[in-house]
Amino acid sequence: MTKRASTIQDVADKAKVSIKTVSRVINNEPNVAIKTVKKVETAIKQLEYQPNAFAQSLARSKPKIISLIYDTPSPNYISHIMEGVLSFCYKAGYEVIIHPLRFNEIGMLRSAEQFIKKSRLAGLIVTPPHSDNIEFIKLIEKLDLPKVLISSGLDLDQSDCIKTNDEEISIEMTNYLIKSGHRKIAFIKGHPTHLSVNQRFIGFQKAMKDANINIDNSLVENGLNSLLSGEQCAERLLNLSNRPTAIFASNDEMAAGVIKVAYKKGIRIPDDLSVVGFDDSPMTEMITPPLTTVRQPLDAIGEKSAQKLIDKLEDRDISHESIIKSEIIFRESVTRLH
Amino acid sequence: MTKRASTIQDVADKAKVSIKTVSRVINNEPNVAIKTVKKVETAIKQLEYQPNAFAQSLARSKPKIISLIYDTPSPNYISHIMEGVLSFCYKAGYEVIIHPLRFNEIGMLRSAEQFIKKSRLAGLIVTPPHSDNIEFIKLIEKLDLPKVLISSGLDLDQSDCIKTNDEEISIEMTNYLIKSGHRKIAFIKGHPTHLSVNQRFIGFQKAMKDANINIDNSLVENGLNSLLSGEQCAERLLNLSNRPTAIFASNDEMAAGVIKVAYKKGIRIPDDLSVVGFDDSPMTEMITPPLTTVRQPLDAIGEKSAQKLIDKLEDRDISHESIIKSEIIFRESVTRLH
DNA sequence: AATTTATAAGACAGCGTTGTCACTTATAGC
DNA sequence: GCTATAAGTGACAACGCTGTCTTATAAATT
């Protein structure tokens, strides 16, 4: 008894048809007699046959393989995006290669190019911060590869992007703080190269302007998306004589930093200070108090990206909605001011 | 100008040698004149040639492709393991396919079999909880596929496993609590099907026995690895008249649940109650107080797994150390009792 | 110098599919 | 009932590489 996996030839022999006919059945091609289809399907089942994906890729002009390119954002972010991408691709019969690419590494572009060529990819899904990297986008275009960029801050063809409504939801969040009676609202910006994160600040500004509240520049801090940078910003903010009553951090980690510092200083949350974050990372429920934040449907973003890319690859209509809406998750870190 | 990626034939033409010679250069085979190697390498560089991984896989008997099988454990866990696996495989010239597999889904085994056959994998790296699933392991063995199981609680050949010293480090952690003066120590067990997590309880028991401390059964709770289950266990534990002075939770999420409940009840940590967790997930630094916990070097585990698998595939010696040591990360959630 | 051996390079088949084209057999049209 | 068309099937090359075998050349041995 051989352990060799069965091939299309085995199926053909068993069903007493040609290889090509088996191939037709596998790929749902027309013009095969129903009787033949049945015969072949039985043989496939008996042999537990599965087509060899690499041979298929080689024989087809376009291999059914795409790649998800990421750097090292939060594990939570990437693993949920991945989940969505994988689940859609699996259904659509595509293989996915997950590929990490270090943003600042020298030779990053070259290694990316090597990877893409070697794998003969059909298309690419790119997550931030790479989706903001013009050099990288140019490379993809040079290689003439279909792509979908997630949350790119770049001004690109709509058909290449999946966006979130960061600006809009930040307006909503800011309005929520304003409606809760807050006027002295501080904002902690995100990492400067992370363009889409900066949409959040723009939303904040707009909402403040619409409410006719001046933004005090000393209440705007530049964070780096990390816990530590959140702590540092909070340190400055909370030492101010004109201390804010609410802080809007561009992501949850920085918000957690704020809460830590506040705790250390004996500032109670939400009683003395309201804090909101962005991302709804798992720890928002674990800290005290649970953090009010914005949830992006990451799985859905992943799925939509995959769908969009595959639709492109198969020359299908790509009129799908490309903006995926986030929602505010109200928890316990905000108080209403009297 | 065609966008077609260059092939080995193009390189051969340009270097004025045969295809086979180019192949030899690519694969570092012996018996090629230095002059020829140089010619070929120049041609490769000029054409920016990269071998087609799928054609290689097809032509070789063993494709250089492995898969990392996971369920849906914490994003943090899987993304760090993945990091290690990818980085090693990348260096070794292997491609990795990340494959999610839902533990409880009906037809899971069949879909796993399909996937493995279709991709003609060279080998498999399996994370918990699949590494504890006998049916799944049997399937892999039936398919005659080399494998490395991460943190399997099953009694398997040493050469197939990468283990962590959960029991040993739990003994250490327990001893630390004991040395800090704690006697009434509660333990929250992990998910029952997650065998390796249960090693943690065994370590706890041993340490208590060695210290001649009786384990009060009412201080042993059955958790489910989730925040919520941690809260539920804590609720019971902290309502006890004979309340513990320290709680050892089998993972960080449950420890966070304990801290939340304690906070609600006005029990101060660490002053009134010491809490330790396990895993060193990112949020341990974000909660107040920062949690004392056990760090498993996940990236290293991933790397070692990949190394072990690839060594097997290439018939190399696999005498590597297979137990990867964790360490206690001391933070602020434990107090010394006077 | 003649013969063995090592080194270098190529020819050719094969990996497991799909695409193209040609062929045979039904079905339809008049 | 005879041709035009469609439906069903297969032969064969191709995809881009590697393995095996062969041949040509250089080096080593006697």
Side-chain angles (χ1 to χ4, degrees):
Chain A
M1 166 211 156
T2 158
K3 287 279 184 181
R4 186 185 119 266
S6 46
T7 71
I8 201 171
Q9 180 73 64
D10 302 330
V11 178
D13 291 348
K14 183 148 209 145
K16 298 209 168 66
V17 295
S18 76
I19 285 185
K20 182 63 216 190
T21 299
V22 178
S23 169
R24 287 198 178 92
V25 173
I26 294 169
N27 297 290
N28 289 313
E29 284 173 36
N31 298 339
V32 184
I34 301 180
K35 241 174 56 187
T36 316
V37 172
K38 290 238 168 88
K39 264 198 306 187
V40 172
E41 281 176 346
T42 316
I44 289 179
K45 222 155 261 163
Q46 283 180 10
L47 292 168
E48 298 187 312
Y49 167 75
Q50 277 296 126
N52 180 325
F54 304 116
Q56 287 183 318
S57 286
L58 190 59
R60 287 196 252 262
S61 42
K62 294 258 175 197
K64 293 181 113 179
I65 299 188
I66 67 168
S67 179
L68 173 66
I69 306 286
Y70 77 102
D71 192 347
T72 28
S74 74
N76 186 57
Y77 183 84
I78 192 59
S79 73
H80 280 283
I81 294 279
M82 191 173 92
E83 198 68 20
V85 171
L86 288 174
S87 97
F88 189 90
C89 288
Y90 186 68
K91 282 182 234 150
Y94 276 70
E95 219 57 71
V96 184
I97 297 182
I98 313 282
H99 197 81
L101 213 56
R102 300 286 162 260
F103 197 81
N104 286 316
E105 209 167 79
I106 50 160
M108 176 212 110
L109 284 177
R110 201 200 326 285
S111 96
E113 183 166 356
Q114 279 180 13
F115 163 70
I116 293 171
K117 286 186 172 172
K118 193 174 76 176
S119 314
R120 294 294 193 278
L121 300 173
L124 241 45
I125 296 177
V126 185
T127 64
H130 291 306
S131 56
D132 284 341
N133 183 342
I134 302 186
E135 295 302 319
F136 183 60
I137 309 302
K138 278 192 188 150
L139 169 65
I140 302 175
E141 283 170 354
K142 174 189 138 198
L143 296 174
D144 205 26
L145 216 60
K147 61 185 177 305
V148 167
L149 309 174
I150 296 179
S151 295
S152 174
L154 263 29
D155 192 23
L156 293 154
D157 192 317
Q158 163 88 351
S159 71
D160 280 346
C161 300
I162 292 287
K163 303 219 177 202
T164 47
N165 61 338
D166 283 28
E167 184 181 319
E168 193 182 309
I169 199 82
S170 296
I171 292 178
E172 248 181 67
M173 181 65 104
T174 309
N175 284 340
Y176 164 61
L177 293 174
I178 295 171
K179 253 181 268 160
S180 300
H182 295 278
R183 290 296 173 275
K184 284 186 290 183
I185 306 175
F187 192 94
I188 303 180
K189 294 163 78 172
H191 200 289
T193 66
H194 213 313
L195 299 183
S196 89
V197 171
N198 291 321
Q199 298 293 314
R200 301 172 188 179
F201 181 55
I202 295 175
F204 169 74
Q205 285 177 307
K206 285 200 180 162
M208 292 292 270
K209 195 172 176 194
D210 285 354
N212 282 314
I213 307 175
N214 268 334
I215 298 178
D216 178 351
N217 277 329
S218 65
L219 293 188
V220 175
E221 283 282 342
N222 293 299
L224 253 30
N225 289 6
S226 66
L227 177 70
L228 184 64
S229 79
E231 294 183 65
Q232 289 165 343
C233 293
E235 199 68 55
R236 286 191 290 271
L237 250 18
L238 298 179
N239 279 341
L240 250 36
S241 55
N242 187 29
R243 195 216 278 169
T245 63
I247 298 181
F248 186 168
S250 296
N251 77 357
D252 289 339
E253 293 204 21
M254 296 193 292
V258 171
I259 290 176
K260 275 188 77 171
V261 171
Y263 187 87
K264 224 177 289 165
K265 289 186 181 298
I267 299 172
R268 293 164 308 159
I269 294 176
D271 310 56
D272 305 332
L273 176 72
S274 294
V275 179
V276 299
F278 207 111
D279 286 343
D280 191 39
S281 60
M283 63 73 174
T284 50
E285 294 197 281
M286 303 182 185
I287 60 179
T288 305
L291 189 67
T292 291
T293 185
V294 172
R295 173 182 299 164
Q296 299 183 318
L298 298 176
D299 297 73
I301 293 175
E303 276 194 53
K304 276 279 175 198
S305 308
Q307 184 179 5
K308 195 160 196 170
L309 183 59
I310 290 173
D311 280 349
K312 270 185 179 179
L313 294 178
E314 303 188 344
D315 294 315
R316 230 174 287 130
D317 191 22
I318 48 166
S319 57
H320 307 294
E321 183 52 67
S322 302
I323 295 184
I324 298 192
K325 295 221 167 106
S326 307
E327 55 173 332
I328 298 181
I329 305 294
F330 295 97
R331 285 198 270 250
E332 301 162 31
S333 62
V334 174
T335 196
R336 166 171 287 280
L337 244 48
H338 310 283
Chain B
M1 166 214 159
T2 159
K3 286 279 182 180
R4 186 186 119 267
S6 45
T7 70
I8 200 170
Q9 181 72 64
D10 301 331
V11 177
D13 291 349
K14 182 147 210 146
K16 298 207 168 67
V17 294
S18 76
I19 284 185
K20 181 65 217 189
T21 300
V22 177
S23 168
R24 287 195 178 94
V25 173
I26 293 168
N27 296 292
N28 289 313
E29 284 172 36
N31 299 338
V32 185
I34 301 180
K35 242 175 56 186
T36 316
V37 172
K38 290 240 169 87
K39 264 198 305 186
V40 171
E41 282 177 345
T42 316
I44 289 180
K45 222 156 262 164
Q46 283 180 10
L47 291 169
E48 300 187 310
Y49 167 76
Q50 278 295 126
N52 179 326
F54 303 116
Q56 286 183 317
S57 286
L58 190 58
R60 288 196 252 262
S61 42
K62 294 255 175 201
K64 292 180 115 180
I65 299 189
I66 66 168
S67 180
L68 174 67
I69 305 286
Y70 76 103
D71 192 345
T72 28
S74 75
N76 185 57
Y77 184 83
I78 192 60
S79 75
H80 279 283
I81 294 280
M82 190 174 93
E83 198 67 20
V85 170
L86 288 173
S87 99
F88 189 90
C89 287
Y90 187 69
K91 282 183 234 150
Y94 275 70
E95 219 57 70
V96 184
I97 297 182
I98 313 281
H99 197 80
L101 214 54
R102 299 287 162 259
F103 197 81
N104 287 317
E105 208 166 81
I106 50 160
M108 176 213 110
L109 283 176
R110 200 200 330 281
S111 98
E113 183 167 358
Q114 279 180 14
F115 164 71
I116 293 171
K117 285 187 173 170
K118 193 173 79 177
S119 313
R120 295 294 192 280
L121 299 173
L124 241 45
I125 296 177
V126 185
T127 64
H130 291 306
S131 57
D132 284 341
N133 182 342
I134 302 186
E135 295 302 319
F136 183 60
I137 308 302
K138 277 191 188 151
L139 169 65
I140 302 175
E141 283 171 352
K142 173 189 139 200
L143 295 173
D144 204 26
L145 215 60
K147 62 184 177 305
V148 167
L149 308 175
I150 296 178
S151 295
S152 174
L154 264 30
D155 192 25
L156 292 154
D157 191 317
Q158 163 88 352
S159 71
D160 280 346
C161 300
I162 293 287
K163 303 218 176 204
T164 47
N165 61 339
D166 283 28
E167 182 181 320
E168 193 182 309
I169 200 81
S170 295
I171 293 178
E172 246 180 70
M173 181 65 104
T174 309
N175 285 340
Y176 165 61
L177 292 174
I178 295 172
K179 253 181 270 162
S180 300
H182 295 278
R183 291 295 173 275
K184 283 187 290 181
I185 306 175
F187 193 93
I188 303 180
K189 293 163 79 172
H191 201 288
T193 66
H194 213 315
L195 299 183
S196 89
V197 171
N198 291 322
Q199 297 294 312
R200 301 172 189 179
F201 181 55
I202 295 175
F204 169 74
Q205 284 178 307
K206 285 199 180 163
M208 292 292 271
K209 193 170 179 194
D210 284 355
N212 283 313
I213 306 176
N214 269 334
I215 297 178
D216 178 350
N217 277 329
S218 65
L219 293 188
V220 175
E221 283 283 343
N222 292 299
L224 253 29
N225 288 6
S226 66
L227 177 70
L228 184 65
S229 79
E231 293 182 67
Q232 289 164 344
C233 295
E235 198 68 55
R236 286 191 290 270
L237 252 17
L238 298 179
N239 279 341
L240 251 36
S241 55
N242 187 28
R243 193 216 281 169
T245 63
I247 298 181
F248 186 167
S250 295
N251 78 356
D252 289 339
E253 293 203 22
M254 296 193 291
V258 171
I259 291 176
K260 275 188 75 171
V261 171
Y263 186 87
K264 226 177 288 168
K265 289 186 181 297
I267 299 172
R268 293 165 307 161
I269 295 175
D271 310 56
D272 304 332
L273 176 71
S274 294
V275 179
V276 300
F278 207 111
D279 286 342
D280 192 39
S281 60
M283 61 75 175
T284 50
E285 294 198 282
M286 301 182 186
I287 59 180
T288 305
L291 187 67
T292 290
T293 184
V294 173
R295 173 182 300 164
Q296 298 183 319
L298 298 176
D299 299 78
I301 293 174
E303 276 194 55
K304 276 280 176 198
S305 309
Q307 184 178 6
K308 194 160 197 170
L309 183 59
I310 290 173
D311 280 349
K312 271 185 177 178
L313 294 178
E314 304 188 344
D315 294 316
R316 230 174 287 130
D317 191 23
I318 49 165
S319 57
H320 306 295
E321 183 53 68
S322 300
I323 295 184
I324 298 191
K325 295 218 167 111
S326 306
E327 55 173 333
I328 299 181
I329 305 293
F330 297 97
R331 284 198 272 252
E332 301 162 31
S333 62
V334 173
T335 195
R336 166 171 285 279
L337 245 45
H338 309 284

